[in-house]
Structure formats: structure tokens, C-alpha cells
Amino acid sequence: TCIAQCTDARTWMEAETVCAGWGGHLATLVSTQESACVGMLLGAGGRAWIGYYQDAADTEPTGGWEWTSGIASGFTNWVAPQPNNNVDILLEGQDCAFVEGLGGAWFDHECTGGGTFPYFCER
């Protein structure tokens, strides 16, 4: 597995499309070590999309989260009280995840209208 840090800011779906064009997907993080590694690359306060998302039909806020890679994992690194499905900008809720800061903590966020972030691709 190779993970690339992409510094251009995109929506979650745009970032996933770029990764798919390279023959991969947004990064799958399945351990504390992988989250911490990505967090160290970001640095304090840095944010980036990862490939964790929730089907809009699943129970909010915690149901049905999965990886774009299709890999099953019981590991999560949500910072409390995430995921919270807080409706910041769009009424669609927060169904995509980003990683933040040195510890690589995860947050849920709007997939399309809540802003853009850098991202990590995996192949």
C-alpha cells in the first residue's frame, strides 16, 4: 500500500474521484499507528479527507460508516463527541470523514458543501 498526501483542496467527492483516477481511493486507516502517521504529516491543526463515509440512508450519527476501499475494520479514531452529524451548512448532514492534527483524530463533515480540504490517496 502506498499513501500519497495531496495538498490541493477539494470536496470529499472530488478528492475520491482524483484518487480513483490514479487507480486507488481515499486512504483507509485501520490502526492507531496509521492515524498517527497521517496526523504527523498534517501537523498541528492540519486537516485532510480520508475514505471513511456513511451511506445517507443509515442511522445517524454512528450507523453504516464504511471505507471507499471496501476494507472492513472495527477501528475508529473519532474525537469525542464525533461522529455527531451536526448540520453546519447543508441539511444533508455529515456523512464524510476528515482527519485532523498530530494525533490523527477523525471528524464527520459535510461531503460536498461544507468546504474543501487536502486529502490522502491510497493505492
Side-chain angles (χ1 to χ4, degrees), residues 11-84:
T11 66
W12 187 92
M13 186 56 71
E14 291 169 343
E16 175 63 17
T17 300
V18 169
C19 296
W22 293 343
H25 45 79
L26 284 166
T28 299
L29 307 177
V30 297
S31 70
T32 302
Q33 294 83 2
E34 288 182 0
S35 280
C37 180
V38 165
M40 286 190 303
L41 291 170
L42 288 173
R47 293 181 172 177
W49 293 120
I50 57 175
Y52 211 42
Y53 72 99
Q54 181 183 40
D55 186 288
D58 285 323
T59 306
E60 295 290 353
T62 59
W65 285 87
E66 55 192 277
W67 292 104
T68 55
S69 64
I71 291 174
S73 172
F75 171 77
T76 61
N77 198 30
W78 298 113
V79 65
Q82 304 291 323
N84 62 3

